[in-house]
Amino acid sequence: MIECWRWFGPEDPTKLSDLPQVGAAGVVTALHDYTPGAQWPEQDIVARKAMIEAAGLKWEVVESLPVSEEIKIQGPDMMAHLRSYIASMEALARHGVHTICYNFMPILDWTRTNMRAQQPHGGSAMQFDLVDFAAFDLHILKRSTAVRDYSDTVQAAADAAISVMDEAQKSLLVHTVVSGLPGANDGWTLDDVRLRIATYDGIGAELLRDNLIDFLSEVIPTAEKLGLRLCCHPDDPPFSLLGLPRVMSSQQDYKQVINAVDTIANGVTLCTGSLGVNADFDAAEFVHCFGPKIHFAHLRNTKRLLSPDPSRPHFFESAHLEGDTDMVVTIAALMMEEKRRRLEGRSDHAIPMRPDHGQELLGDQANISLPGYPLIGRMRGLAELRGIMAAVGVLT
Ligand code: DNO
């Protein structure tokens, strides 16, 4: 596998020149300054690539070339945004960047309710608590139809939770849910969130899936022509939030979308941390199902906790080898797939992976980093995963 590290660009507190020390050879990055829908200027792609190569590294994956809300809801600017998307893909291809990750989550990208849940070992982890989320939705956002989405038990628990939160805790919760995470929407107010949610009136899962398939039908022919690999990241968490549809939450969801535009260019980002929140997720089975089309792996782990809604558990981001997904089995399956590709003569037989998030450990809390992306925690994760890869490599 190609051992990669997500780097957020020149503003990232970790320098590119530090990456060989963390054990990464590949870089996962994006031009984060451009909003979804904007075309990435070719000179910026060239500059970013040169910066990475000057540090002796390779730009392996674009994460993400974001899909705009206009494309997701098929709004009036959709055609312009599709043209920009395709132009950015073409520019990336001209400079040898072939793997493009994106997601199709409405409005909110990945979502947590606590960025720093204290762990018994002294560090902290990110956490999602359905009751806190419901408290936000029912009592802070006051979404008009929120009551429909929570059982009486969840609502009662949310009432109790909000009644003991002080103002500082409430605003921390708002910040965490709305704008605290990389990929989130900086500076949005609660009114902005309400307005955006309203743009999904009348868009259920079926329509959103159709829109995703329409998007793929538009961009995949170019990807095929240029040898690009698009890979859709799953919903995180893998269930509906704020009454919004989510359509990439399970193996079954992937089957529908991957089969609808059946070509190697229409691929998958396997994120074990996102999909693994569902109790019926089986990572090895997923790899067997989509093997040739898995173009990128986020190896991260989560531990489910009992919530008052069995279909939407609480969870926290465990250490990489300590969660509900068996990383040894997952990596073995991915490496078998790589072997199969080598035998088939595929030049893209090596699958780029990254440790994805990490817990905040040791000196991490004293150093500024984006939530989920601390240096030491991710380094521990990558080191553990590299150990598995080395062992599996010897045994297979
Ligand atoms: C979180 C990430 C997500 C992911 C995007 C992919 O750290 O896994 O932000 O990168 O959703 O498009």
PDB file of all heavy atoms in Angstrom, residues 62-87:
ATOM      1  N   VAL A  62      -6.011  13.472  -4.417  1.00  0.00           N
ATOM      2  CA  VAL A  62      -6.685  14.741  -4.147  1.00  0.00           C
ATOM      3  C   VAL A  62      -7.816  14.444  -3.181  1.00  0.00           C
ATOM      4  O   VAL A  62      -8.701  13.639  -3.471  1.00  0.00           O
ATOM      5  CB  VAL A  62      -7.300  15.328  -5.427  1.00  0.00           C
ATOM      6  CG1 VAL A  62      -8.094  16.577  -5.099  1.00  0.00           C
ATOM      7  CG2 VAL A  62      -6.231  15.631  -6.433  1.00  0.00           C
ATOM      8  N   GLU A  63      -7.793  15.055  -2.043  1.00  0.00           N
ATOM      9  CA  GLU A  63      -8.909  14.917  -1.102  1.00  0.00           C
ATOM     10  C   GLU A  63      -9.166  16.273  -0.501  1.00  0.00           C
ATOM     11  O   GLU A  63      -8.320  16.780   0.216  1.00  0.00           O
ATOM     12  CB  GLU A  63      -8.608  13.937   0.013  1.00  0.00           C
ATOM     13  CG  GLU A  63      -9.788  13.808   0.959  1.00  0.00           C
ATOM     14  CD  GLU A  63      -9.572  12.819   2.084  1.00  0.00           C
ATOM     15  OE1 GLU A  63      -8.538  12.131   2.092  1.00  0.00           O
ATOM     16  OE2 GLU A  63     -10.443  12.766   2.953  1.00  0.00           O
ATOM     17  N   SER A  64     -10.319  16.784  -0.854  1.00  0.00           N
ATOM     18  CA  SER A  64     -11.262  16.364  -1.844  1.00  0.00           C
ATOM     19  C   SER A  64     -11.285  17.371  -2.986  1.00  0.00           C
ATOM     20  O   SER A  64     -10.934  18.527  -2.807  1.00  0.00           O
ATOM     21  CB  SER A  64     -12.669  16.357  -1.251  1.00  0.00           C
ATOM     22  OG  SER A  64     -12.771  15.468  -0.155  1.00  0.00           O
ATOM     23  N   LEU A  65     -11.799  16.919  -4.129  1.00  0.00           N
ATOM     24  CA  LEU A  65     -12.279  17.867  -5.135  1.00  0.00           C
ATOM     25  C   LEU A  65     -13.776  17.927  -4.828  1.00  0.00           C
ATOM     26  O   LEU A  65     -14.545  17.041  -5.195  1.00  0.00           O
ATOM     27  CB  LEU A  65     -12.002  17.353  -6.554  1.00  0.00           C
ATOM     28  CG  LEU A  65     -12.397  18.302  -7.698  1.00  0.00           C
ATOM     29  CD1 LEU A  65     -11.732  19.663  -7.564  1.00  0.00           C
ATOM     30  CD2 LEU A  65     -12.043  17.701  -9.045  1.00  0.00           C
ATOM     31  N   PRO A  66     -14.169  18.961  -4.038  1.00  0.00           N
ATOM     32  CA  PRO A  66     -15.513  18.907  -3.459  1.00  0.00           C
ATOM     33  C   PRO A  66     -16.628  19.105  -4.483  1.00  0.00           C
ATOM     34  O   PRO A  66     -16.496  19.889  -5.419  1.00  0.00           O
ATOM     35  CB  PRO A  66     -15.512  20.051  -2.434  1.00  0.00           C
ATOM     36  CG  PRO A  66     -14.387  20.941  -2.814  1.00  0.00           C
ATOM     37  CD  PRO A  66     -13.406  20.155  -3.653  1.00  0.00           C
ATOM     38  N   VAL A  67     -17.692  18.393  -4.264  1.00  0.00           N
ATOM     39  CA  VAL A  67     -18.881  18.517  -5.108  1.00  0.00           C
ATOM     40  C   VAL A  67     -19.770  19.586  -4.466  1.00  0.00           C
ATOM     41  O   VAL A  67     -20.087  19.502  -3.272  1.00  0.00           O
ATOM     42  CB  VAL A  67     -19.634  17.176  -5.175  1.00  0.00           C
ATOM     43  CG1 VAL A  67     -20.870  17.302  -6.050  1.00  0.00           C
ATOM     44  CG2 VAL A  67     -18.722  16.070  -5.695  1.00  0.00           C
ATOM     45  N   SER A  68     -20.150  20.580  -5.247  1.00  0.00           N
ATOM     46  CA  SER A  68     -20.906  21.706  -4.661  1.00  0.00           C
ATOM     47  C   SER A  68     -22.337  21.298  -4.323  1.00  0.00           C
ATOM     48  O   SER A  68     -22.878  20.333  -4.878  1.00  0.00           O
ATOM     49  CB  SER A  68     -20.939  22.865  -5.656  1.00  0.00           C
ATOM     50  OG  SER A  68     -21.718  22.487  -6.778  1.00  0.00           O
ATOM     51  N   GLU A  69     -22.939  22.063  -3.451  1.00  0.00           N
ATOM     52  CA  GLU A  69     -24.356  21.843  -3.112  1.00  0.00           C
ATOM     53  C   GLU A  69     -25.238  21.996  -4.362  1.00  0.00           C
ATOM     54  O   GLU A  69     -26.236  21.313  -4.512  1.00  0.00           O
ATOM     55  CB  GLU A  69     -24.797  22.844  -2.047  1.00  0.00           C
ATOM     56  CG  GLU A  69     -24.227  22.568  -0.659  1.00  0.00           C
ATOM     57  CD  GLU A  69     -24.659  21.234  -0.113  1.00  0.00           C
ATOM     58  OE1 GLU A  69     -25.851  20.906  -0.200  1.00  0.00           O
ATOM     59  OE2 GLU A  69     -23.795  20.492   0.393  1.00  0.00           O
ATOM     60  N   GLU A  70     -24.850  22.929  -5.256  1.00  0.00           N
ATOM     61  CA  GLU A  70     -25.629  23.127  -6.492  1.00  0.00           C
ATOM     62  C   GLU A  70     -25.713  21.838  -7.289  1.00  0.00           C
ATOM     63  O   GLU A  70     -26.737  21.540  -7.892  1.00  0.00           O
ATOM     64  CB  GLU A  70     -24.952  24.207  -7.352  1.00  0.00           C
ATOM     65  CG  GLU A  70     -25.197  25.601  -6.880  1.00  0.00           C
ATOM     66  CD  GLU A  70     -26.645  25.998  -7.062  1.00  0.00           C
ATOM     67  OE1 GLU A  70     -27.047  26.236  -8.198  1.00  0.00           O
ATOM     68  OE2 GLU A  70     -27.370  26.068  -6.052  1.00  0.00           O
ATOM     69  N   ILE A  71     -24.601  21.090  -7.312  1.00  0.00           N
ATOM     70  CA  ILE A  71     -24.608  19.815  -8.049  1.00  0.00           C
ATOM     71  C   ILE A  71     -25.456  18.803  -7.285  1.00  0.00           C
ATOM     72  O   ILE A  71     -26.250  18.071  -7.873  1.00  0.00           O
ATOM     73  CB  ILE A  71     -23.164  19.301  -8.271  1.00  0.00           C
ATOM     74  CG1 ILE A  71     -22.410  20.245  -9.202  1.00  0.00           C
ATOM     75  CG2 ILE A  71     -23.183  17.869  -8.825  1.00  0.00           C
ATOM     76  CD1 ILE A  71     -20.949  19.886  -9.468  1.00  0.00           C
ATOM     77  N   LYS A  72     -25.323  18.800  -5.959  1.00  0.00           N
ATOM     78  CA  LYS A  72     -26.071  17.798  -5.178  1.00  0.00           C
ATOM     79  C   LYS A  72     -27.581  18.015  -5.294  1.00  0.00           C
ATOM     80  O   LYS A  72     -28.340  17.057  -5.362  1.00  0.00           O
ATOM     81  CB  LYS A  72     -25.638  17.842  -3.709  1.00  0.00           C
ATOM     82  CG  LYS A  72     -24.216  17.342  -3.490  1.00  0.00           C
ATOM     83  CD  LYS A  72     -23.815  17.453  -2.019  1.00  0.00           C
ATOM     84  CE  LYS A  72     -22.314  17.577  -1.878  1.00  0.00           C
ATOM     85  NZ  LYS A  72     -21.905  18.119  -0.574  1.00  0.00           N
ATOM     86  N   ILE A  73     -27.991  19.282  -5.307  1.00  0.00           N
ATOM     87  CA  ILE A  73     -29.445  19.517  -5.376  1.00  0.00           C
ATOM     88  C   ILE A  73     -29.901  19.826  -6.807  1.00  0.00           C
ATOM     89  O   ILE A  73     -31.075  20.094  -7.033  1.00  0.00           O
ATOM     90  CB  ILE A  73     -29.912  20.658  -4.434  1.00  0.00           C
ATOM     91  CG1 ILE A  73     -29.291  21.996  -4.824  1.00  0.00           C
ATOM     92  CG2 ILE A  73     -29.614  20.333  -2.983  1.00  0.00           C
ATOM     93  CD1 ILE A  73     -29.868  23.184  -4.068  1.00  0.00           C
ATOM     94  N   GLN A  74     -28.986  19.827  -7.734  1.00  0.00           N
ATOM     95  CA  GLN A  74     -29.259  20.201  -9.132  1.00  0.00           C
ATOM     96  C   GLN A  74     -29.884  21.594  -9.193  1.00  0.00           C
ATOM     97  O   GLN A  74     -30.937  21.810  -9.795  1.00  0.00           O
ATOM     98  CB  GLN A  74     -30.126  19.137  -9.837  1.00  0.00           C
ATOM     99  CG  GLN A  74     -29.440  17.769  -9.812  1.00  0.00           C
ATOM    100  CD  GLN A  74     -29.844  16.826 -10.914  1.00  0.00           C
ATOM    101  OE1 GLN A  74     -30.908  16.952 -11.485  1.00  0.00           O
ATOM    102  NE2 GLN A  74     -28.983  15.856 -11.206  1.00  0.00           N
ATOM    103  N   GLY A  75     -29.183  22.529  -8.586  1.00  0.00           N
ATOM    104  CA  GLY A  75     -29.623  23.930  -8.568  1.00  0.00           C
ATOM    105  C   GLY A  75     -29.252  24.634  -9.866  1.00  0.00           C
ATOM    106  O   GLY A  75     -28.630  24.045 -10.754  1.00  0.00           O
ATOM    107  N   PRO A  76     -29.607  25.932  -9.971  1.00  0.00           N
ATOM    108  CA  PRO A  76     -29.416  26.671 -11.230  1.00  0.00           C
ATOM    109  C   PRO A  76     -27.955  26.771 -11.689  1.00  0.00           C
ATOM    110  O   PRO A  76     -27.702  26.899 -12.884  1.00  0.00           O
ATOM    111  CB  PRO A  76     -29.996  28.061 -10.933  1.00  0.00           C
ATOM    112  CG  PRO A  76     -30.293  28.098  -9.474  1.00  0.00           C
ATOM    113  CD  PRO A  76     -30.338  26.699  -8.958  1.00  0.00           C
ATOM    114  N   ASP A  77     -27.005  26.719 -10.766  1.00  0.00           N
ATOM    115  CA  ASP A  77     -25.602  26.835 -11.184  1.00  0.00           C
ATOM    116  C   ASP A  77     -24.946  25.489 -11.473  1.00  0.00           C
ATOM    117  O   ASP A  77     -23.725  25.409 -11.654  1.00  0.00           O
ATOM    118  CB  ASP A  77     -24.778  27.565 -10.102  1.00  0.00           C
ATOM    119  CG  ASP A  77     -25.144  29.029 -10.035  1.00  0.00           C
ATOM    120  OD1 ASP A  77     -25.608  29.563 -11.070  1.00  0.00           O
ATOM    121  OD2 ASP A  77     -25.001  29.634  -8.953  1.00  0.00           O
ATOM    122  N   MET A  78     -25.746  24.447 -11.505  1.00  0.00           N
ATOM    123  CA  MET A  78     -25.158  23.111 -11.635  1.00  0.00           C
ATOM    124  C   MET A  78     -24.259  22.964 -12.866  1.00  0.00           C
ATOM    125  O   MET A  78     -23.149  22.453 -12.771  1.00  0.00           O
ATOM    126  CB  MET A  78     -26.251  22.042 -11.686  1.00  0.00           C
ATOM    127  CG  MET A  78     -25.677  20.668 -11.960  1.00  0.00           C
ATOM    128  SD  MET A  78     -26.925  19.383 -11.995  1.00  0.00           S
ATOM    129  CE  MET A  78     -27.670  19.661 -13.582  1.00  0.00           C
ATOM    130  N   MET A  79     -24.728  23.418 -14.013  1.00  0.00           N
ATOM    131  CA  MET A  79     -23.940  23.181 -15.230  1.00  0.00           C
ATOM    132  C   MET A  79     -22.591  23.889 -15.156  1.00  0.00           C
ATOM    133  O   MET A  79     -21.560  23.319 -15.520  1.00  0.00           O
ATOM    134  CB  MET A  79     -24.716  23.624 -16.483  1.00  0.00           C
ATOM    135  CG  MET A  79     -25.861  22.710 -16.887  1.00  0.00           C
ATOM    136  SD  MET A  79     -25.547  20.929 -16.766  1.00  0.00           S
ATOM    137  CE  MET A  79     -24.386  20.669 -18.093  1.00  0.00           C
ATOM    138  N   ALA A  80     -22.589  25.120 -14.649  1.00  0.00           N
ATOM    139  CA  ALA A  80     -21.322  25.853 -14.514  1.00  0.00           C
ATOM    140  C   ALA A  80     -20.392  25.107 -13.562  1.00  0.00           C
ATOM    141  O   ALA A  80     -19.184  24.971 -13.809  1.00  0.00           O
ATOM    142  CB  ALA A  80     -21.595  27.261 -14.006  1.00  0.00           C
ATOM    143  N   HIS A  81     -20.948  24.595 -12.461  1.00  0.00           N
ATOM    144  CA  HIS A  81     -20.106  23.889 -11.490  1.00  0.00           C
ATOM    145  C   HIS A  81     -19.571  22.570 -12.060  1.00  0.00           C
ATOM    146  O   HIS A  81     -18.450  22.169 -11.775  1.00  0.00           O
ATOM    147  CB  HIS A  81     -20.891  23.640 -10.200  1.00  0.00           C
ATOM    148  CG  HIS A  81     -21.096  24.893  -9.400  1.00  0.00           C
ATOM    149  ND1 HIS A  81     -21.577  24.899  -8.114  1.00  0.00           N
ATOM    150  CD2 HIS A  81     -20.861  26.199  -9.699  1.00  0.00           C
ATOM    151  CE1 HIS A  81     -21.652  26.147  -7.667  1.00  0.00           C
ATOM    152  NE2 HIS A  81     -21.227  26.947  -8.616  1.00  0.00           N
ATOM    153  N   LEU A  82     -20.399  21.926 -12.880  1.00  0.00           N
ATOM    154  CA  LEU A  82     -19.920  20.683 -13.506  1.00  0.00           C
ATOM    155  C   LEU A  82     -18.775  20.980 -14.471  1.00  0.00           C
ATOM    156  O   LEU A  82     -17.788  20.246 -14.517  1.00  0.00           O
ATOM    157  CB  LEU A  82     -21.060  19.995 -14.272  1.00  0.00           C
ATOM    158  CG  LEU A  82     -22.036  19.168 -13.430  1.00  0.00           C
ATOM    159  CD1 LEU A  82     -23.215  18.728 -14.291  1.00  0.00           C
ATOM    160  CD2 LEU A  82     -21.342  17.949 -12.820  1.00  0.00           C
ATOM    161  N   ARG A  83     -18.916  22.074 -15.199  1.00  0.00           N
ATOM    162  CA  ARG A  83     -17.831  22.438 -16.128  1.00  0.00           C
ATOM    163  C   ARG A  83     -16.539  22.709 -15.353  1.00  0.00           C
ATOM    164  O   ARG A  83     -15.466  22.267 -15.738  1.00  0.00           O
ATOM    165  CB  ARG A  83     -18.228  23.661 -16.968  1.00  0.00           C
ATOM    166  CG  ARG A  83     -19.113  23.303 -18.160  1.00  0.00           C
ATOM    167  CD  ARG A  83     -19.205  24.458 -19.159  1.00  0.00           C
ATOM    168  NE  ARG A  83     -19.900  25.614 -18.605  1.00  0.00           N
ATOM    169  CZ  ARG A  83     -21.245  25.750 -18.580  1.00  0.00           C
ATOM    170  NH1 ARG A  83     -22.016  24.825 -19.109  1.00  0.00           N
ATOM    171  NH2 ARG A  83     -21.805  26.826 -18.044  1.00  0.00           N
ATOM    172  N   SER A  84     -16.669  23.404 -14.231  1.00  0.00           N
ATOM    173  CA  SER A  84     -15.468  23.678 -13.408  1.00  0.00           C
ATOM    174  C   SER A  84     -14.879  22.371 -12.886  1.00  0.00           C
ATOM    175  O   SER A  84     -13.662  22.207 -12.836  1.00  0.00           O
ATOM    176  CB  SER A  84     -15.830  24.533 -12.192  1.00  0.00           C
ATOM    177  OG  SER A  84     -16.380  25.729 -12.605  1.00  0.00           O
ATOM    178  N   TYR A  85     -15.761  21.469 -12.467  1.00  0.00           N
ATOM    179  CA  TYR A  85     -15.290  20.198 -11.902  1.00  0.00           C
ATOM    180  C   TYR A  85     -14.467  19.445 -12.954  1.00  0.00           C
ATOM    181  O   TYR A  85     -13.364  18.969 -12.691  1.00  0.00           O
ATOM    182  CB  TYR A  85     -16.488  19.351 -11.442  1.00  0.00           C
ATOM    183  CG  TYR A  85     -16.127  18.328 -10.379  1.00  0.00           C
ATOM    184  CD1 TYR A  85     -16.274  18.632  -9.023  1.00  0.00           C
ATOM    185  CD2 TYR A  85     -15.631  17.075 -10.723  1.00  0.00           C
ATOM    186  CE1 TYR A  85     -15.938  17.701  -8.041  1.00  0.00           C
ATOM    187  CE2 TYR A  85     -15.292  16.144  -9.746  1.00  0.00           C
ATOM    188  CZ  TYR A  85     -15.456  16.459  -8.406  1.00  0.00           C
ATOM    189  OH  TYR A  85     -15.113  15.538  -7.433  1.00  0.00           O
ATOM    190  N   ILE A  86     -15.029  19.393 -14.150  1.00  0.00           N
ATOM    191  CA  ILE A  86     -14.346  18.652 -15.219  1.00  0.00           C
ATOM    192  C   ILE A  86     -13.038  19.352 -15.590  1.00  0.00           C
ATOM    193  O   ILE A  86     -12.007  18.697 -15.786  1.00  0.00           O
ATOM    194  CB  ILE A  86     -15.293  18.487 -16.429  1.00  0.00           C
ATOM    195  CG1 ILE A  86     -16.415  17.513 -16.048  1.00  0.00           C
ATOM    196  CG2 ILE A  86     -14.550  18.008 -17.675  1.00  0.00           C
ATOM    197  CD1 ILE A  86     -17.528  17.355 -17.066  1.00  0.00           C
ATOM    198  N   ALA A  87     -13.055  20.679 -15.624  1.00  0.00           N
ATOM    199  CA  ALA A  87     -11.823  21.409 -15.961  1.00  0.00           C
ATOM    200  C   ALA A  87     -10.753  21.153 -14.889  1.00  0.00           C
ATOM    201  O   ALA A  87      -9.570  20.978 -15.203  1.00  0.00           O
ATOM    202  CB  ALA A  87     -12.116  22.899 -16.088  1.00  0.00           C
TER     203      ALA A  87
END
